[in-house]
Amino acid sequence: MVALRVKKMRREKNRAGKTRLAKWYMQFDDDEKQKLIEEVHAVVTVRDAKHTNFVEFRNFKIIYRRYAGLYFCICVDVTDNNLAYLEAIHNFVEVLNEYFHNVCELDLVFNFYKVYTVVDEMFLAGEIRETSQTKVLKQLLMLQSLE
Amino acid sequence: MPAPIRLRELIRTIRTARTQAEEREMIQKECAAIRSSFREEDNTYRCRNVAKLLYMHMLGYPAHFGQLECLKLIASQKFTDKRIGYLGAMLLLDERQDVHLLMTNCIKNDLNHSTQYVQGLALCTLGCMGSSEMCRDLAGEVEKLLKTSNSYLRKKAALCAVHVIRKVPELMEMFLPATKNLLNEKNHGVLHTSVVLLTEMCERSPDMLAHFRKVSLVPQLVRILKNLIMSGYSPEHDVSGISDPFLQVRILRLLRILGRNDDDSSEAMNDILAQVATNTETSKNVGNAILYETVLTIMDIKSESGLRVLAINILGRFLLNNDKNIRYVALTSLLKTVQTDHNAVQRHRSTIVDCLKDLDVSIKRRAMELSFALVNGNNVRGMMKELLYFLDSCEPEFKADCASGIFLAAEKYAPSKRWHIDTIMRVLTTAGSYVRDDAVPNLIQLITNSVEMHAYTVQRLYKAILGDYSQQPLVQVASWCIGEYGDLLVSGQCEEEEPIQVTEDEVLDILESVLISNMSASVTRGYALTAIMKLSTRFTCTVNRIKKVVSIYGSSIDVELQQRAVEYNALFKKYDHMRPALLERMPVMEKVTTNGPAEIVHTNGETETAVLETKPPPSGLQPANQANDLLDLLGGSDITPVIPTAPTREPASAGGELLDLLGDLNLTGSPVFAPAPQIAQPPFLLDGLTSQPLFNDISAGIPSITAYNKNGLKIDFTFERSNTNPSVTVITIQASNSTELDMTDFVFQAAVPKTFQLQLLSPSSSVIPAFNSGTITQVIKVLNPQKQQLRMRIKLTYNHKGSAMQDLAEVNNFPPQSWQ
């Protein structure tokens, strides 16, 4: 997430390193993106429960949280509020849960375009857009009805 | 051509692949099918194909051939097509591809579409990957949508505007009128995004910031925040019992920006900050997030001290929290505030020290830095104990920093010399190999300074390396000390501790083993060899052994060692009479700069015969750049440069610069290195530190000369000689300006031949007024002990008529009475 200019990206990856979803709010080449993904993966997966959920990465920080086999990572500026973004991650996951009715990893794989829609409903231009879960779910259902 | 397989099928198929190669094969097959389908311009299945392509792209395979197809989808009328098309655009296109500009028109049409969802899609895409050209074209549309009453669209438009501003900051003005009404919304989503937009504007442009402060944004925000806290349970935005924490956090952040460096705004928000700080529930992470943001805000604005103490107490409470995230966050913030609110942070010192034992590496690092910041004269003993314990047990990546930090703190606050030396010893023995290289000379200097502790120090060092001589810095310091104070060691005098019985041979044994050992670095060996050499004057019965050792190394492969050994051999043979004098005890070294750690002249404890020059300190050195320039100009042949002095010159600082300039000069033989360079000059020049020449008996009658007269600038010299000191001539220059414009920034520089010495005092001013209405006077003192003919080269720089002027001239017409 933006968290103020500079870089922003958010990603869900599973333990084996496969990226299930990657949303970038800054411009990078494809190979740069790949490299970044690998680096973040390397940094995040070695940390276990006794570490904090924040990691300094290059000149930003990564805020991540692990849910079952998936890591949800947000990369933000150093000046941003870590704890708030942790909450944002949780908010997002709860919405996914509601939308897909007890979401699991396969849901994210097979419906990736829908997941992107959820992301776009909640985040835009790298910032948090809508925080009310009920509202987001309502929008998503409406969009779905248009299909 | 059969209908292309559905997305689900594709995904399922790919997932069954067992190896990377199999997967690649499947994907290539599918890509080929998709490509031929694209060529056929098949409208019905385009959407499906692009979706499949996107999936494959997510797996990491190239998909650029689908870019144009995305554009076609965007242009379609069906919503599903548009959706996939925009998604594809966001994933596959970015501003570096030229193709993306083709989207602009589509987006423009969609921004005006009748369906809000289409408009939303367009806004979203623009907000994520719009390039500057696109933003410029479409900013107007975005601004229109910012004013619409549809809150769904307004939210998106606000964030899209944020993106536009980021890409094209000049367009910020355009969004200003729309922001007026943004905060009057009830809808939280709109509020949230509006606050983000305002934040972005304020951060980017100080003018905007001033504008918003004037428009009394602060009271508005305060009101909204108050409503949020006071209002009851609102199910829509509630997170664990707190209503819309995200909005609260964002508002707090905006308040921070508004209140920074601004008293009025800060005052307006004091109350609400206090309220938020005290009323927010801290049991869950959400509450803590809000509190954290509040603390950051309080620290940044000009808040009253009570509020600041409150903030630090909140941080202190965070430190006791079980959740390590919160502890981490607290430590980071405390580190930022420890400089300004030192006392308040001191209260939490014990908690911080406890964090040194935490498991998480980043918490430990923060705690360590914070602990160093908190050390002061009162708590130094306790803190050092904890920090030394930490040094023992911490990870290797910390040890270097920790060791340096301990040295610094010990130096500043050591309660006694013995404690200081004990601490240093402890660090050297526990983390000896991680100590930074520049610490060794510092330590040596410290040890020489504590004269009464020499015996104790050398004894402890000897004991330390007796068992283990692998830690290089420790061994270096120890060898140096043994070399210097070996006599104290064997004589068994030690007041502080039980003296140990050591014979000369045992000492030489240990030094020799250092020399031989594979673990010793080349530098360490150098130390050891020199130490052995020094002991030749301090020990009485083992001189022959020393001679033997030294001569062995005369053929060492290591060039450095070889050189030293050969020179020491020469000392023994031909210059034996000089040996005692050379290897004498080192004088106490002055530490000239007490601010930085590494300014100390590097003394390696070497007493090389070659370098015993006491360079005459001053005349070769010019602290001023002007003089350097002059020297360059004049070819540096027979001219000594000027040392212009200011009346309030402090000797200490001059000495500091001097030391820097001398760099790696070995100061071994010059114990009288008192700072002021002028001391070596005839003392009378020091008197001239006032701007008045102190000559009471001036011989009159020396004619004055016009030294320079060009371009309207005239410089006259008048002379005075002193009867008390006939080699001194005092020249007063007067510079006048006959043009019609003033000359500003006037600088006069002079150089004289080497046999003279020159001192320039400060001029009366640097502006010569026009029309000869005033002059600049400056005094020059010339010392001419050999009574040679006075010659001078002058350089003038000044600004005249808007341009910088510069001139060089030679003055040869000095009257004989001025120098004979």
Side-chain angles (χ1 to χ4, degrees), chain B residues 566-598:
Chain B
V566 165
E567 285 175 4
Y568 295 158
N569 252 339
L571 257 191
F572 272 125
K573 299 211 170 65
K574 286 198 276 184
Y575 299 100
D576 209 34
H577 52 282
M578 280 171 63
R579 190 166 48 89
L582 285 177
L583 302 178
E584 220 172 51
R585 182 87 91 226
M586 289 280 233
V588 172
M589 288 176 240
E590 298 257 332
K591 193 163 190 182
V592 184
T593 54
T594 46
N595 308 330

Side-chain angles (χ1 to χ4, degrees), chain B residues 69-80:
Chain B
E69 302 299 319
C70 294
L71 293 179
K72 291 186 200 156
L73 280 176
I74 294 176
S76 144
Q77 287 307 315
K78 276 172 32 187
F79 180 73
T80 32

Side-chain angles (χ1 to χ4, degrees), chain A residues 2-5 8 18-30 32-34 47-54 56 61 65 79-88 91 106 109-114 116-117 120-121 123-135 138-139 142-144 146-147, chain B residues 7-8 11-12 15 23 51 54-55 57-59 79-80 83-84 87 90-91 94-96 115 117 123-124 127-129 152 155-156 159-160 162-163 166-167 187-189 192-193 196 200 203-204 236-237 239 244 246 249-250 253 256 285-286 288-289 292-293 318 324-326 328-329 359-363 366:
Chain A
V2 177
L4 297 199
R5 344 139 211 173
K8 338 144 188 189
K18 274 187 138 52
T19 306
R20 293 296 174 208
L21 181 92
K23 182 88 187 177
W24 304 83
Y25 294 103
M26 262 182 79
Q27 307 290 357
F28 290 105
D29 279 333
D30 272 343
E32 278 173 24
K33 285 187 187 172
Q34 193 56 33
R47 293 168 70 89
D48 57 17
K50 64 177 201 258
H51 289 114
T52 59
N53 292 66
F54 320 121
E56 260 138 59
K61 46 188 179 192
R65 204 160 190 183
T79 49
D80 283 310
N81 187 335
N82 299 351
L83 305 172
Y85 278 102
L86 210 51
E87 283 302 311
N91 210 18
L106 281 180
V109 174
F110 277 92
N111 297 304
F112 68 93
Y113 53 96
K114 289 192 186 161
Y116 272 110
T117 320
D120 287 332
E121 278 300 314
F123 304 93
L124 187 87
E127 303 282 346
I128 302 177
R129 182 167 83 75
E130 178 59 68
T131 55
S132 154
Q133 292 181 14
T134 39
K135 284 220 177 91
K138 215 166 55 174
Q139 315 281 23
M142 289 241 47
L143 281 169
Q144 196 168 301
L146 287 174
E147 280 186 40
Chain B
L7 177 62
R8 293 201 153 246
I11 298 179
R12 222 174 269 139
R15 282 171 66 82
E23 186 182 287
L54 289 177
Y55 179 74
H57 175 77
M58 268 175 61
L59 289 176
F79 180 73
T80 32
R83 197 162 78 154
I84 297 284
L87 180 62
M90 280 194 274
L91 286 179
D94 57 31
E95 56 190 27
R96 270 169 295 190
T115 320
Y117 296 107
L123 277 171
C124 193
C128 288
M129 45 79 63
Y152 175 76
K155 286 184 298 201
K156 293 204 185 231
L159 285 182
C160 198
V162 169
H163 180 86
R166 278 192 195 137
K167 283 284 174 191
N187 183 315
H188 279 223
H192 185 108
T193 52
V196 174
E200 187 71 22
E203 275 180 354
R204 295 233 155 207
E236 274 196 347
H237 295 276
V239 180
D244 211 343
F246 299 102
V249 164
R250 265 343 291 229
R253 193 183 200 158
R256 177 154 88 234
N285 186 41
V286 202
N288 287 326
Y292 177 50
E293 194 73 30
F318 275 4
K324 52 190 162 0
N325 291 332
I326 297 187
Y328 173 88
V329 146
L359 293 168
D360 183 302
V361 160
S362 32
I363 290 188
R366 297 263 176 321

Side-chain angles (χ1 to χ4, degrees), chain B residues 5 40 121 135 201 294 313 320 338 400 467 492 552 597 619 629 800:
Chain B
I5 63 174
E40 290 177 9
L121 271 182
C135 289
M201 285 173 141
T294 317
N313 286 343
L320 299 167
V338 73
I552 291 177
S619 26
D629 291 345
H800 188 231

Side-chain angles (χ1 to χ4, degrees), chain B residues 117-144:
Chain B
Y117 296 107
V118 175
Q119 289 173 298
L121 271 182
L123 277 171
C124 193
T125 312
L126 184 60
C128 288
M129 45 79 63
S131 65
S132 5
E133 293 94 8
M134 283 171 76
C135 289
R136 246 183 264 270
D137 291 334
L138 298 169
E141 305 292 328
V142 175
E143 200 248 341
K144 232 178 8 174

Side-chain angles (χ1 to χ4, degrees), chain B residues 40-57:
Chain B
E40 290 177 9
E41 297 284 332
D42 182 348
N43 284 342
T44 3
Y45 293 119
R46 189 178 287 134
C47 172
R48 189 187 286 180
N49 284 329
V50 172
K52 286 188 287 189
L53 196 59
L54 289 177
Y55 179 74
M56 292 188 283
H57 175 77

